[in-house]
Amino acid sequence: MRHLLATLAGKAVKTVAKLRGGGSALPGLVAEKIDPNFLPRTLGNLPQGVIVISGTNGKTTTTKMVVELLQGQGLKVFTNRTGSNFTRGVVAAVLGETTIGGKLEADVAVLELDEAHAVHFVKLVAPRYCLLLNVMRDQLDRFGEIETTAGFLRQIAAATTEAVVLNREDPRIAALADSVTADRVLYFGLAPQLRSMFPSDDDMRSGSTSDASARPAADVVLSACEGASATFTVGDRDIDAELKLTGVYNIYNAAAALALARTVVGADVDEDALLESLEAVTPAFGRGESLTVNGKPLDLVLVKNPAGFRLALRSFPPAGFSTMIAINDNYADGRDMSWLWDVDFDSLADAGVAEVSGVRANDMALRLFYEDVPVRHVDTDLSASLQRFIALEPDAPKRIYCTYTAMLALRRELGKLTEVEVVS
Amino acid sequence: MDAPVIDLLQLYPRDMNIYGDWGNVLVLRKRLQLRGYDVRLHEYNPGDTFPDQVDLIVGGGGQDSGQNKIQADLHQLGGRLRELADDGVPMLAICGLYQLFGNFFKTHTGEVIEGIGLLDVDTIGGPKRLIGNTVLESEEFGTVIGYENHSGQTFLKGGTQSLGTVTKGEGNNGQDSTEGARYRNVVASYLHGSLLPKNPAVADFLVRHAALRRHGSFDDAPLEIPFEEQAREDAAARPR
């Protein structure tokens, strides 16, 4: 009865919240308050259980890939699509998909969870599978230290019952194998010649990449990557793929998604369908997605920590593009600006930066000055900056590197000019 | 006529660099270059050979794991660093290195990690992290703006001067309003953000003493750095 009440109350709030615009976590709060067992009961009964995906960088894109790979294998997949990767957001997402009787019509749940909130979640629902991507400096002001974040992920690995998929190239992630109680640990990894493209925070200023000491065998290896063409090595077979994703880090995430999907589906995997699904995946919201403004492409690239920003700059050559950078320091972005000093911006020196914007535009501009990168305009007003950015070079393709809340604001502005899916 | 040289050393850039410490190096180098100096960068990681000629030393914050990696090495280097500090070599020690420049760090489990005693300060692991935008008033440098993120609480001993008095934020220990420590030409602080880009007065103090000690003179003409003042104002106005 309590479960039914929670479902009904949550659904009612969800409808009202939708009418009022936004508020993806509020209905979840209501359902949680009425029935704390709501999640375990709804998700615990799925035939293939729950898959948790966490880590600092690439959660959203990887989750999208895993969902589409599993759908391509004929599974009915539930996922938390609204980007609300906290427990309450998951409850809200579940509410949107349950029947009035409180049953979730799905074979498997694929959930992207924020590292800190995942710990809370796995206490409620033990995941059958988890995929842990990386631990990097991100929002250190929230979690304090990288080791703290690694500790969160360790708890996820320990709570997982069936199989844990780990990034072999991230020493802090690979080390989590010790805590796995599930039967299987699998790895995704990089061929040695690609490792230099993925500097970790630890390698940042020492010029070398982590020592190539014994690495475990990986189930899926990204062995070549050129633009959107990639080769994945699975066992002793090479699989060539033409992807719709750009950016080498997105493509490495594809190796992670492949490793996880193959594990979940097991011996019955349809290899052709897997490749077809993979080649069809388009970037997630704000992760190198391309919009069209005045007939020209405009790419939004989310940046939120030094490693991610460095990889983004490496992945998208600036030649021929007009570039804008928008840096906010709201809670969701992280308030500490130190991270901007740990990114090398010299790749932008030739093309320069047309617009620097956001609350901390002047911090960013000062950073670029010290790297000898020319900047045309600096303006803390995002709306004015965006309008000038689009008006001054109408014929150039454009790229905006932006922090999370800056991206939300820019998408709202862009929504007035083009078709943009606005996520509240 | 070759440009006068300044040898700038980064201490432990591999293990102690998590709070934008490279930013401090970039700013010192640039401010020296703009004044006509040729800057030679040196890195010192555990086990490396310490360079013979050092005019300016910069070191930063690490996580606990990074600090564990460098401790033994730092103890071996301690005598040398104390000599250089006594001799007037300017140094900037941020966050984790600030703690290890002190007498000791006592963790909340009661473990005592010995520092090198270059600064007469004691640090005790606190119950919570002190995190957020921070502003201090310093007699030497005016308003100093940065960002703190530490759980260690540092207490100044034996008349050790602070870098300044906090007007926003917690500072050394959240109790006595002090932030950072000063000794000769050594500046130690919890503030990153990075510290020097938005605090040119501190940067120029370090640069000036490096040049004076090595070359006997320094042209103190102020530099016109774009966005600097505006970035300071923006940062000072942000919520904690």
Side-chain angles (χ1 to χ4, degrees), chain A residues 137 141 146-147 205 329 336 338 341-342 360 362-363 370 372, chain B residues 18 20 22 30-31 43 63 65 147 192-193 197-198 230 234 238:
Chain A
R137 273 192 48 196
D141 46 349
I146 306 175
E147 307 299 341
R205 288 286 156 211
D329 68 347
D336 185 1
S338 294
W341 295 88
D342 285 330
R360 300 302 283 268
N362 287 291
D363 271 80
Y370 274 107
D372 301 316
Chain B
I18 60 169
W22 173 243
K30 182 77 148 187
R31 295 183 88 91
E43 288 192 359
Q63 307 188 69
S65 59
Y147 192 96
H192 45 267
K198 289 198 286 286
Q230 199 53 53
D234 293 349
R238 294 303 290 156

PDB file of all heavy atoms in Angstrom, chain A residues 137 141 146-147 205 329 336 338 341-342 360 362-363 370 372, chain B residues 18 20 22 30-31 43 63 65 147 192-193 197-198 230 234 238:
ATOM      1  N   ARG A 137      40.842  15.117 -10.918  1.00  0.00           N
ATOM      2  CA  ARG A 137      40.523  16.310 -10.140  1.00  0.00           C
ATOM      3  C   ARG A 137      39.254  16.910 -10.679  1.00  0.00           C
ATOM      4  O   ARG A 137      39.206  17.392 -11.783  1.00  0.00           O
ATOM      5  CB  ARG A 137      41.623  17.342 -10.330  1.00  0.00           C
ATOM      6  CG  ARG A 137      42.758  17.207  -9.400  1.00  0.00           C
ATOM      7  CD  ARG A 137      43.603  18.440  -9.513  1.00  0.00           C
ATOM      8  NE  ARG A 137      42.785  19.634  -9.448  1.00  0.00           N
ATOM      9  CZ  ARG A 137      43.208  20.815  -9.814  1.00  0.00           C
ATOM     10  NH1 ARG A 137      44.411  20.966 -10.286  1.00  0.00           N
ATOM     11  NH2 ARG A 137      42.430  21.864  -9.714  1.00  0.00           N
ATOM     12  N   ASP A 141      36.746  20.915  -4.305  1.00  0.00           N
ATOM     13  CA  ASP A 141      36.181  21.651  -3.177  1.00  0.00           C
ATOM     14  C   ASP A 141      34.946  20.947  -2.634  1.00  0.00           C
ATOM     15  O   ASP A 141      34.505  21.214  -1.547  1.00  0.00           O
ATOM     16  CB  ASP A 141      35.892  23.119  -3.539  1.00  0.00           C
ATOM     17  CG  ASP A 141      35.194  23.262  -4.870  1.00  0.00           C
ATOM     18  OD1 ASP A 141      35.122  22.268  -5.613  1.00  0.00           O
ATOM     19  OD2 ASP A 141      34.726  24.362  -5.167  1.00  0.00           O
ATOM     20  N   ILE A 146      41.197  13.602  -4.325  1.00  0.00           N
ATOM     21  CA  ILE A 146      40.971  12.547  -5.310  1.00  0.00           C
ATOM     22  C   ILE A 146      40.825  11.202  -4.603  1.00  0.00           C
ATOM     23  O   ILE A 146      40.025  10.360  -5.002  1.00  0.00           O
ATOM     24  CB  ILE A 146      42.141  12.481  -6.319  1.00  0.00           C
ATOM     25  CG1 ILE A 146      42.374  13.855  -6.955  1.00  0.00           C
ATOM     26  CG2 ILE A 146      41.847  11.469  -7.418  1.00  0.00           C
ATOM     27  CD1 ILE A 146      43.568  13.917  -7.860  1.00  0.00           C
ATOM     28  N   GLU A 147      41.609  11.026  -3.539  1.00  0.00           N
ATOM     29  CA  GLU A 147      41.559   9.741  -2.822  1.00  0.00           C
ATOM     30  C   GLU A 147      40.174   9.529  -2.201  1.00  0.00           C
ATOM     31  O   GLU A 147      39.711   8.395  -2.094  1.00  0.00           O
ATOM     32  CB  GLU A 147      42.622   9.697  -1.709  1.00  0.00           C
ATOM     33  CG  GLU A 147      44.047  10.024  -2.166  1.00  0.00           C
ATOM     34  CD  GLU A 147      44.599   9.074  -3.220  1.00  0.00           C
ATOM     35  OE1 GLU A 147      44.069   7.959  -3.377  1.00  0.00           O
ATOM     36  OE2 GLU A 147      45.575   9.467  -3.907  1.00  0.00           O
ATOM     37  N   ARG A 205      52.639  17.449 -14.819  1.00  0.00           N
ATOM     38  CA  ARG A 205      53.789  18.322 -14.997  1.00  0.00           C
ATOM     39  C   ARG A 205      55.088  17.553 -15.037  1.00  0.00           C
ATOM     40  O   ARG A 205      56.144  18.125 -15.006  1.00  0.00           O
ATOM     41  CB  ARG A 205      53.852  19.341 -13.846  1.00  0.00           C
ATOM     42  CG  ARG A 205      52.792  20.377 -13.958  1.00  0.00           C
ATOM     43  CD  ARG A 205      53.130  21.359 -15.063  1.00  0.00           C
ATOM     44  NE  ARG A 205      51.906  21.971 -15.540  1.00  0.00           N
ATOM     45  CZ  ARG A 205      51.736  22.370 -16.786  1.00  0.00           C
ATOM     46  NH1 ARG A 205      52.660  22.196 -17.674  1.00  0.00           N
ATOM     47  NH2 ARG A 205      50.610  22.925 -17.133  1.00  0.00           N
ATOM     48  N   ASP A 329      31.501  29.700 -11.916  1.00  0.00           N
ATOM     49  CA  ASP A 329      32.030  29.093 -10.685  1.00  0.00           C
ATOM     50  C   ASP A 329      30.898  28.845  -9.695  1.00  0.00           C
ATOM     51  O   ASP A 329      31.070  29.004  -8.493  1.00  0.00           O
ATOM     52  CB  ASP A 329      33.096  29.998 -10.053  1.00  0.00           C
ATOM     53  CG  ASP A 329      32.508  31.293  -9.515  1.00  0.00           C
ATOM     54  OD1 ASP A 329      31.343  31.607  -9.842  1.00  0.00           O
ATOM     55  OD2 ASP A 329      33.200  31.982  -8.745  1.00  0.00           O
ATOM     56  N   ASP A 336      36.445  26.772  -7.046  1.00  0.00           N
ATOM     57  CA  ASP A 336      37.887  27.013  -7.090  1.00  0.00           C
ATOM     58  C   ASP A 336      38.356  27.123  -8.544  1.00  0.00           C
ATOM     59  O   ASP A 336      38.072  26.249  -9.356  1.00  0.00           O
ATOM     60  CB  ASP A 336      38.577  25.821  -6.399  1.00  0.00           C
ATOM     61  CG  ASP A 336      40.083  26.003  -6.277  1.00  0.00           C
ATOM     62  OD1 ASP A 336      40.597  27.053  -6.698  1.00  0.00           O
ATOM     63  OD2 ASP A 336      40.727  25.081  -5.755  1.00  0.00           O
ATOM     64  N   SER A 338      41.505  27.212  -9.500  1.00  0.00           N
ATOM     65  CA  SER A 338      42.869  26.690  -9.674  1.00  0.00           C
ATOM     66  C   SER A 338      43.011  25.826 -10.908  1.00  0.00           C
ATOM     67  O   SER A 338      44.053  25.811 -11.554  1.00  0.00           O
ATOM     68  CB  SER A 338      43.269  25.840  -8.468  1.00  0.00           C
ATOM     69  OG  SER A 338      43.371  26.614  -7.317  1.00  0.00           O
ATOM     70  N   TRP A 341      44.594  26.738 -14.244  1.00  0.00           N
ATOM     71  CA  TRP A 341      46.045  26.888 -14.362  1.00  0.00           C
ATOM     72  C   TRP A 341      46.733  25.563 -14.629  1.00  0.00           C
ATOM     73  O   TRP A 341      47.931  25.519 -14.893  1.00  0.00           O
ATOM     74  CB  TRP A 341      46.605  27.583 -13.120  1.00  0.00           C
ATOM     75  CG  TRP A 341      46.075  28.983 -13.068  1.00  0.00           C
ATOM     76  CD1 TRP A 341      44.905  29.403 -12.496  1.00  0.00           C
ATOM     77  CD2 TRP A 341      46.641  30.133 -13.701  1.00  0.00           C
ATOM     78  NE1 TRP A 341      44.727  30.748 -12.720  1.00  0.00           N
ATOM     79  CE2 TRP A 341      45.773  31.223 -13.456  1.00  0.00           C
ATOM     80  CE3 TRP A 341      47.801  30.350 -14.454  1.00  0.00           C
ATOM     81  CZ2 TRP A 341      46.035  32.513 -13.929  1.00  0.00           C
ATOM     82  CZ3 TRP A 341      48.070  31.632 -14.915  1.00  0.00           C
ATOM     83  CH2 TRP A 341      47.187  32.690 -14.651  1.00  0.00           C
ATOM     84  N   ASP A 342      45.978  24.481 -14.575  1.00  0.00           N
ATOM     85  CA  ASP A 342      46.544  23.157 -14.839  1.00  0.00           C
ATOM     86  C   ASP A 342      46.225  22.668 -16.246  1.00  0.00           C
ATOM     87  O   ASP A 342      46.412  21.503 -16.557  1.00  0.00           O
ATOM     88  CB  ASP A 342      46.012  22.143 -13.819  1.00  0.00           C
ATOM     89  CG  ASP A 342      46.667  22.337 -12.461  1.00  0.00           C
ATOM     90  OD1 ASP A 342      47.828  22.788 -12.436  1.00  0.00           O
ATOM     91  OD2 ASP A 342      46.015  22.050 -11.448  1.00  0.00           O
ATOM     92  N   ARG A 360      33.511  34.002 -14.261  1.00  0.00           N
ATOM     93  CA  ARG A 360      34.948  34.152 -14.042  1.00  0.00           C
ATOM     94  C   ARG A 360      35.703  34.380 -15.362  1.00  0.00           C
ATOM     95  O   ARG A 360      36.832  33.922 -15.551  1.00  0.00           O
ATOM     96  CB  ARG A 360      35.501  32.934 -13.309  1.00  0.00           C
ATOM     97  CG  ARG A 360      34.880  32.701 -11.933  1.00  0.00           C
ATOM     98  CD  ARG A 360      35.034  33.865 -10.959  1.00  0.00           C
ATOM     99  NE  ARG A 360      36.339  33.973 -10.362  1.00  0.00           N
ATOM    100  CZ  ARG A 360      36.703  33.411  -9.207  1.00  0.00           C
ATOM    101  NH1 ARG A 360      35.860  32.673  -8.530  1.00  0.00           N
ATOM    102  NH2 ARG A 360      37.912  33.587  -8.728  1.00  0.00           N
ATOM    103  N   ASN A 362      37.206  36.948 -16.359  1.00  0.00           N
ATOM    104  CA  ASN A 362      38.484  37.643 -16.183  1.00  0.00           C
ATOM    105  C   ASN A 362      39.585  36.715 -15.687  1.00  0.00           C
ATOM    106  O   ASN A 362      40.748  36.872 -16.050  1.00  0.00           O
ATOM    107  CB  ASN A 362      38.318  38.852 -15.267  1.00  0.00           C
ATOM    108  CG  ASN A 362      37.585  39.977 -15.984  1.00  0.00           C
ATOM    109  OD1 ASN A 362      38.132  40.578 -16.905  1.00  0.00           O
ATOM    110  ND2 ASN A 362      36.334  40.221 -15.610  1.00  0.00           N
ATOM    111  N   ASP A 363      39.221  35.735 -14.863  1.00  0.00           N
ATOM    112  CA  ASP A 363      40.198  34.711 -14.466  1.00  0.00           C
ATOM    113  C   ASP A 363      40.697  33.954 -15.694  1.00  0.00           C
ATOM    114  O   ASP A 363      41.888  33.709 -15.850  1.00  0.00           O
ATOM    115  CB  ASP A 363      39.555  33.707 -13.501  1.00  0.00           C
ATOM    116  CG  ASP A 363      39.685  34.126 -12.051  1.00  0.00           C
ATOM    117  OD1 ASP A 363      38.891  34.975 -11.621  1.00  0.00           O
ATOM    118  OD2 ASP A 363      40.576  33.612 -11.367  1.00  0.00           O
ATOM    119  N   TYR A 370      48.670  34.820 -19.700  1.00  0.00           N
ATOM    120  CA  TYR A 370      49.927  34.224 -19.234  1.00  0.00           C
ATOM    121  C   TYR A 370      50.390  33.090 -20.134  1.00  0.00           C
ATOM    122  O   TYR A 370      51.507  32.617 -20.015  1.00  0.00           O
ATOM    123  CB  TYR A 370      49.799  33.761 -17.773  1.00  0.00           C
ATOM    124  CG  TYR A 370      50.106  34.886 -16.784  1.00  0.00           C
ATOM    125  CD1 TYR A 370      49.106  35.504 -16.056  1.00  0.00           C
ATOM    126  CD2 TYR A 370      51.416  35.336 -16.615  1.00  0.00           C
ATOM    127  CE1 TYR A 370      49.402  36.538 -15.169  1.00  0.00           C
ATOM    128  CE2 TYR A 370      51.714  36.368 -15.735  1.00  0.00           C
ATOM    129  CZ  TYR A 370      50.712  36.961 -15.013  1.00  0.00           C
ATOM    130  OH  TYR A 370      51.015  37.981 -14.138  1.00  0.00           O
ATOM    131  N   ASP A 372      50.061  33.545 -23.501  1.00  0.00           N
ATOM    132  CA  ASP A 372      50.228  34.231 -24.778  1.00  0.00           C
ATOM    133  C   ASP A 372      49.174  33.839 -25.810  1.00  0.00           C
ATOM    134  O   ASP A 372      49.471  33.736 -26.999  1.00  0.00           O
ATOM    135  CB  ASP A 372      51.635  33.973 -25.357  1.00  0.00           C
ATOM    136  CG  ASP A 372      52.723  34.452 -24.409  1.00  0.00           C
ATOM    137  OD1 ASP A 372      52.567  35.562 -23.864  1.00  0.00           O
ATOM    138  OD2 ASP A 372      53.699  33.712 -24.199  1.00  0.00           O
TER     139      ASP A 372
ATOM    140  N   ILE B  18      48.422  19.799  -7.027  1.00  0.00           N
ATOM    141  CA  ILE B  18      47.006  19.616  -7.364  1.00  0.00           C
ATOM    142  C   ILE B  18      46.186  20.892  -7.382  1.00  0.00           C
ATOM    143  O   ILE B  18      45.046  20.868  -7.795  1.00  0.00           O
ATOM    144  CB  ILE B  18      46.310  18.591  -6.448  1.00  0.00           C
ATOM    145  CG1 ILE B  18      46.361  19.025  -4.998  1.00  0.00           C
ATOM    146  CG2 ILE B  18      46.858  17.215  -6.651  1.00  0.00           C
ATOM    147  CD1 ILE B  18      45.456  18.184  -4.121  1.00  0.00           C
ATOM    148  N   GLY B  20      46.708  23.927  -9.007  1.00  0.00           N
ATOM    149  CA  GLY B  20      47.118  24.965  -9.943  1.00  0.00           C
ATOM    150  C   GLY B  20      48.468  25.559  -9.629  1.00  0.00           C
ATOM    151  O   GLY B  20      48.729  26.728  -9.903  1.00  0.00           O
ATOM    152  N   TRP B  22      51.236  25.088 -10.989  1.00  0.00           N
ATOM    153  CA  TRP B  22      51.926  25.495 -12.218  1.00  0.00           C
ATOM    154  C   TRP B  22      51.639  26.964 -12.523  1.00  0.00           C
ATOM    155  O   TRP B  22      52.471  27.673 -13.064  1.00  0.00           O
ATOM    156  CB  TRP B  22      51.451  24.601 -13.369  1.00  0.00           C
ATOM    157  CG  TRP B  22      51.949  24.990 -14.711  1.00  0.00           C
ATOM    158  CD1 TRP B  22      51.204  25.403 -15.772  1.00  0.00           C
ATOM    159  CD2 TRP B  22      53.322  25.001 -15.173  1.00  0.00           C
ATOM    160  NE1 TRP B  22      52.006  25.670 -16.856  1.00  0.00           N
ATOM    161  CE2 TRP B  22      53.303  25.435 -16.511  1.00  0.00           C
ATOM    162  CE3 TRP B  22      54.532  24.691 -14.566  1.00  0.00           C
ATOM    163  CZ2 TRP B  22      54.470  25.557 -17.271  1.00  0.00           C
ATOM    164  CZ3 TRP B  22      55.702  24.828 -15.325  1.00  0.00           C
ATOM    165  CH2 TRP B  22      55.664  25.243 -16.653  1.00  0.00           C
ATOM    166  N   LYS B  30      56.812  34.723 -16.254  1.00  0.00           N
ATOM    167  CA  LYS B  30      56.367  35.799 -17.138  1.00  0.00           C
ATOM    168  C   LYS B  30      56.775  37.171 -16.588  1.00  0.00           C
ATOM    169  O   LYS B  30      57.251  38.043 -17.330  1.00  0.00           O
ATOM    170  CB  LYS B  30      54.842  35.718 -17.277  1.00  0.00           C
ATOM    171  CG  LYS B  30      54.242  36.742 -18.215  1.00  0.00           C
ATOM    172  CD  LYS B  30      54.476  36.323 -19.629  1.00  0.00           C
ATOM    173  CE  LYS B  30      53.355  36.749 -20.548  1.00  0.00           C
ATOM    174  NZ  LYS B  30      53.557  36.183 -21.884  1.00  0.00           N
ATOM    175  N   ARG B  31      56.609  37.352 -15.297  1.00  0.00           N
ATOM    176  CA  ARG B  31      56.902  38.671 -14.724  1.00  0.00           C
ATOM    177  C   ARG B  31      58.411  38.946 -14.744  1.00  0.00           C
ATOM    178  O   ARG B  31      58.827  40.103 -14.808  1.00  0.00           O
ATOM    179  CB  ARG B  31      56.323  38.793 -13.308  1.00  0.00           C
ATOM    180  CG  ARG B  31      54.797  38.732 -13.299  1.00  0.00           C
ATOM    181  CD  ARG B  31      54.202  38.931 -11.927  1.00  0.00           C
ATOM    182  NE  ARG B  31      53.969  40.346 -11.635  1.00  0.00           N
ATOM    183  CZ  ARG B  31      52.831  40.992 -11.900  1.00  0.00           C
ATOM    184  NH1 ARG B  31      51.831  40.364 -12.463  1.00  0.00           N
ATOM    185  NH2 ARG B  31      52.707  42.266 -11.603  1.00  0.00           N
ATOM    186  N   GLU B  43      63.129  21.411 -12.250  1.00  0.00           N
ATOM    187  CA  GLU B  43      62.179  20.612 -11.467  1.00  0.00           C
ATOM    188  C   GLU B  43      62.967  19.755 -10.503  1.00  0.00           C
ATOM    189  O   GLU B  43      64.002  19.191 -10.872  1.00  0.00           O
ATOM    190  CB  GLU B  43      61.394  19.668 -12.377  1.00  0.00           C
ATOM    191  CG  GLU B  43      60.382  20.363 -13.246  1.00  0.00           C
ATOM    192  CD  GLU B  43      59.435  19.357 -13.906  1.00  0.00           C
ATOM    193  OE1 GLU B  43      59.607  18.132 -13.692  1.00  0.00           O
ATOM    194  OE2 GLU B  43      58.535  19.798 -14.627  1.00  0.00           O
ATOM    195  N   GLN B  63      47.976  15.724  -2.385  1.00  0.00           N
ATOM    196  CA  GLN B  63      47.066  14.950  -1.555  1.00  0.00           C
ATOM    197  C   GLN B  63      47.905  14.197  -0.545  1.00  0.00           C
ATOM    198  O   GLN B  63      49.116  14.170  -0.629  1.00  0.00           O
ATOM    199  CB  GLN B  63      46.344  13.955  -2.420  1.00  0.00           C
ATOM    200  CG  GLN B  63      45.691  14.598  -3.578  1.00  0.00           C
ATOM    201  CD  GLN B  63      44.850  13.576  -4.251  1.00  0.00           C
ATOM    202  OE1 GLN B  63      43.857  13.147  -3.709  1.00  0.00           O
ATOM    203  NE2 GLN B  63      45.282  13.154  -5.401  1.00  0.00           N
ATOM    204  N   SER B  65      48.497  11.160  -0.337  1.00  0.00           N
ATOM    205  CA  SER B  65      49.358  10.168  -0.981  1.00  0.00           C
ATOM    206  C   SER B  65      50.609  10.817  -1.561  1.00  0.00           C
ATOM    207  O   SER B  65      51.704  10.263  -1.481  1.00  0.00           O
ATOM    208  CB  SER B  65      48.584   9.444  -2.080  1.00  0.00           C
ATOM    209  OG  SER B  65      48.123  10.369  -3.038  1.00  0.00           O
ATOM    210  N   TYR B 147      41.798  30.960  -2.597  1.00  0.00           N
ATOM    211  CA  TYR B 147      40.839  29.903  -2.307  1.00  0.00           C
ATOM    212  C   TYR B 147      41.518  28.900  -1.396  1.00  0.00           C
ATOM    213  O   TYR B 147      42.633  28.466  -1.685  1.00  0.00           O
ATOM    214  CB  TYR B 147      40.415  29.231  -3.612  1.00  0.00           C
ATOM    215  CG  TYR B 147      39.220  28.332  -3.463  1.00  0.00           C
ATOM    216  CD1 TYR B 147      37.944  28.788  -3.744  1.00  0.00           C
ATOM    217  CD2 TYR B 147      39.369  27.006  -3.034  1.00  0.00           C
ATOM    218  CE1 TYR B 147      36.840  27.966  -3.599  1.00  0.00           C
ATOM    219  CE2 TYR B 147      38.270  26.190  -2.880  1.00  0.00           C
ATOM    220  CZ  TYR B 147      37.006  26.674  -3.168  1.00  0.00           C
ATOM    221  OH  TYR B 147      35.918  25.862  -3.031  1.00  0.00           O
ATOM    222  N   HIS B 192      45.230  28.964  -2.772  1.00  0.00           N
ATOM    223  CA  HIS B 192      45.542  28.714  -4.175  1.00  0.00           C
ATOM    224  C   HIS B 192      44.508  29.453  -5.002  1.00  0.00           C
ATOM    225  O   HIS B 192      43.854  30.346  -4.491  1.00  0.00           O
ATOM    226  CB  HIS B 192      45.626  27.217  -4.461  1.00  0.00           C
ATOM    227  CG  HIS B 192      44.542  26.411  -3.874  1.00  0.00           C
ATOM    228  ND1 HIS B 192      44.653  25.811  -2.635  1.00  0.00           N
ATOM    229  CD2 HIS B 192      43.312  26.095  -4.326  1.00  0.00           C
ATOM    230  CE1 HIS B 192      43.551  25.146  -2.382  1.00  0.00           C
ATOM    231  NE2 HIS B 192      42.704  25.309  -3.381  1.00  0.00           N
ATOM    232  N   GLY B 193      44.393  29.062  -6.257  1.00  0.00           N
ATOM    233  CA  GLY B 193      43.381  29.768  -7.072  1.00  0.00           C
ATOM    234  C   GLY B 193      43.798  30.151  -8.502  1.00  0.00           C
ATOM    235  O   GLY B 193      42.948  30.564  -9.220  1.00  0.00           O
ATOM    236  N   PRO B 197      48.686  34.697  -9.784  1.00  0.00           N
ATOM    237  CA  PRO B 197      48.086  35.482 -10.876  1.00  0.00           C
ATOM    238  C   PRO B 197      47.223  36.635 -10.364  1.00  0.00           C
ATOM    239  O   PRO B 197      47.257  37.728 -10.939  1.00  0.00           O
ATOM    240  CB  PRO B 197      47.219  34.458 -11.626  1.00  0.00           C
ATOM    241  CG  PRO B 197      47.810  33.129 -11.300  1.00  0.00           C
ATOM    242  CD  PRO B 197      48.418  33.250  -9.931  1.00  0.00           C
ATOM    243  N   LYS B 198      46.480  36.408  -9.300  1.00  0.00           N
ATOM    244  CA  LYS B 198      45.586  37.458  -8.814  1.00  0.00           C
ATOM    245  C   LYS B 198      46.206  38.235  -7.656  1.00  0.00           C
ATOM    246  O   LYS B 198      45.539  39.093  -7.069  1.00  0.00           O
ATOM    247  CB  LYS B 198      44.239  36.849  -8.400  1.00  0.00           C
ATOM    248  CG  LYS B 198      43.429  36.377  -9.614  1.00  0.00           C
ATOM    249  CD  LYS B 198      41.953  36.169  -9.304  1.00  0.00           C
ATOM    250  CE  LYS B 198      41.724  34.924  -8.488  1.00  0.00           C
ATOM    251  NZ  LYS B 198      41.883  33.689  -9.282  1.00  0.00           N
ATOM    252  N   GLN B 230      40.520  43.274 -12.602  1.00  0.00           N
ATOM    253  CA  GLN B 230      39.121  42.852 -12.715  1.00  0.00           C
ATOM    254  C   GLN B 230      38.925  41.437 -12.153  1.00  0.00           C
ATOM    255  O   GLN B 230      37.939  41.159 -11.479  1.00  0.00           O
ATOM    256  CB  GLN B 230      38.691  42.910 -14.195  1.00  0.00           C
ATOM    257  CG  GLN B 230      37.195  42.932 -14.389  1.00  0.00           C
ATOM    258  CD  GLN B 230      36.494  44.032 -13.603  1.00  0.00           C
ATOM    259  OE1 GLN B 230      36.850  45.202 -13.704  1.00  0.00           O
ATOM    260  NE2 GLN B 230      35.505  43.648 -12.779  1.00  0.00           N
ATOM    261  N   ASP B 234      36.388  40.415  -9.199  1.00  0.00           N
ATOM    262  CA  ASP B 234      35.383  39.349  -9.393  1.00  0.00           C
ATOM    263  C   ASP B 234      35.529  38.295  -8.299  1.00  0.00           C
ATOM    264  O   ASP B 234      34.543  37.858  -7.705  1.00  0.00           O
ATOM    265  CB  ASP B 234      35.550  38.679 -10.762  1.00  0.00           C
ATOM    266  CG  ASP B 234      35.211  39.626 -11.914  1.00  0.00           C
ATOM    267  OD1 ASP B 234      34.651  40.707 -11.648  1.00  0.00           O
ATOM    268  OD2 ASP B 234      35.511  39.275 -13.071  1.00  0.00           O
ATOM    269  N   ARG B 238      32.861  36.972  -4.915  1.00  0.00           N
ATOM    270  CA  ARG B 238      32.152  35.695  -5.027  1.00  0.00           C
ATOM    271  C   ARG B 238      31.782  35.161  -3.645  1.00  0.00           C
ATOM    272  O   ARG B 238      32.457  35.449  -2.659  1.00  0.00           O
ATOM    273  CB  ARG B 238      33.012  34.662  -5.769  1.00  0.00           C
ATOM    274  CG  ARG B 238      33.270  35.017  -7.220  1.00  0.00           C
ATOM    275  CD  ARG B 238      31.993  35.212  -7.986  1.00  0.00           C
ATOM    276  NE  ARG B 238      31.266  33.956  -8.202  1.00  0.00           N
ATOM    277  CZ  ARG B 238      29.958  33.888  -8.414  1.00  0.00           C
ATOM    278  NH1 ARG B 238      29.225  34.964  -8.422  1.00  0.00           N
ATOM    279  NH2 ARG B 238      29.385  32.717  -8.608  1.00  0.00           N
TER     280      ARG B 238
END
